[in-house]
Amino acid sequence: TKLNVKVYQETVLSKNLLKSSELSPDSIMQLGIQMAYYKMYHRFVSAYESCSTAIYKHGRTETIRPVTNETKNFIETLTKSNDENLKKQLLKNASDKHQRLIKAAATGHGFDRHLFALKYLQQVENKESHLHPLFTDQSYQLMNHTILSTSTVASKHIAAGGFGPVVDDGLGIGYLIDDDHCGLLVTSYMENESQNFIEAANQSYKELANIIKS
């Protein structure tokens, strides 16, 4: 299957703008990704963001789950309200929640790796036939069908970086935000999906910038 790759880079959002507004740059990039998908499909889906646990010896990564009640409330409010103060408050709520999730994941309080280890041990000891009901539950299956697989590319020496989707109907999204610009590298196995997502993301980041600057 052909992998479609598209790159987006704009000055509409930057670290300087977001930090001066007391917003987390990572949270706003993630929010724009969710907004873009919602524009395309009018639904919220499982999203994954990798987080380093390098503060621990032999630490690798933990998962951040960036889709929250706070991001959902903000995105749904955009379509229902013209109250700019309300939008700003909900945006701040979403940013603050994301910051807490980052801290929790980085300091060993995530849950994905723990559940993966438990599932792996059960598979080794009991094979697939005796998995705990948690691992065959529809909610667990849905959570691990990662439509939006994301990771930040945090280096001034890399213009863009990315990876393939982890499911056939998903997107692989490498993103960055620098002092004066932001960018995405989007991959998909679906025809036109990467381009459509880039266009929706561009609209989303412009909307976010307008709210922040208002």
Side-chain angles (χ1 to χ4, degrees):
T1 304
K2 182 180 178 182
L3 181 67
N4 296 288
V5 181
K6 294 293 180 181
V7 176
Y8 165 85
Q9 192 174 82
E10 269 290 348
T11 58
V12 62
L13 282 179
S14 66
K15 271 188 181 178
N16 291 336
L17 170 65
L18 298 177
K19 286 185 175 180
S20 67
S21 304
E22 299 184 340
L23 295 168
S24 157
D26 188 75
S27 73
I28 302 305
M29 290 301 294
Q30 284 286 341
L31 187 56
I33 289 169
Q34 291 181 45
M35 287 172 63
Y37 195 87
Y38 190 82
K39 284 180 183 295
M40 293 169 65
Y41 294 107
H42 303 290
R43 63 190 179 101
F44 299 95
V45 294
S46 178
Y48 167 100
E49 177 185 356
S50 61
C51 176
S52 171
T53 53
I55 63 170
Y56 296 104
K57 187 176 182 180
H58 304 308
R60 296 293 297 275
T61 63
E62 178 54 273
T63 301
I64 299 167
R65 295 291 179 175
V67 180
T68 63
N69 286 331
E70 287 79 3
T71 59
K72 181 175 181 287
N73 288 342
F74 172 76
I75 292 170
E76 289 179 338
T77 298
L78 290 180
T79 64
K80 297 184 294 187
S81 174
N82 293 317
D83 186 335
E84 294 301 315
N85 289 329
L86 175 61
K87 292 177 185 178
K88 279 192 169 185
Q89 183 57 58
L90 293 178
L91 181 60
K92 185 70 166 66
N93 293 348
S95 177
D96 290 348
K97 177 60 177 287
H98 191 77
Q99 281 285 79
R100 294 195 295 272
L101 291 177
I102 292 174
K103 183 177 180 181
T107 55
H109 295 282
F111 62 86
D112 275 82
R113 299 296 184 261
H114 180 70
L115 290 178
F116 173 79
L118 292 176
K119 182 181 179 182
Y120 175 77
L121 289 173
Q122 276 215 309
Q123 288 172 323
V124 170
E125 294 175 4
N126 303 316
K127 308 303 181 186
E128 295 284 347
S129 58
H130 293 91
L131 279 180
H132 189 281
L134 168 66
F135 301 119
T136 56
D137 185 85
Q138 185 179 6
S139 297
Y140 186 81
Q141 300 293 328
L142 186 65
M143 182 184 75
N144 285 285
H145 185 82
T146 306
I147 301 291
L148 300 174
S149 181
T150 75
S151 183
T152 185
V153 182
S155 173
K156 292 181 180 294
H157 306 291
I158 300 175
F163 42 87
V166 297
V167 292
D168 289 342
D169 57 341
L171 294 156
I173 305 170
Y175 64 94
L176 62 85
I177 183 160
D178 213 332
D179 292 340
D180 57 1
H181 70 277
C182 64
L184 302 171
L185 188 147
V186 181
T187 64
S188 173
Y189 294 117
M190 297 178 285
E191 189 175 0
N192 299 323
E193 186 79 353
S194 298
Q195 181 61 41
N196 292 341
F197 186 85
I198 289 289
E199 292 172 4
N202 185 43
Q203 294 175 20
S204 298
Y205 289 130
K206 286 181 178 178
E207 286 179 35
L208 286 168
N210 288 337
I211 293 169
I212 293 165
K213 293 175 182 177
S214 65

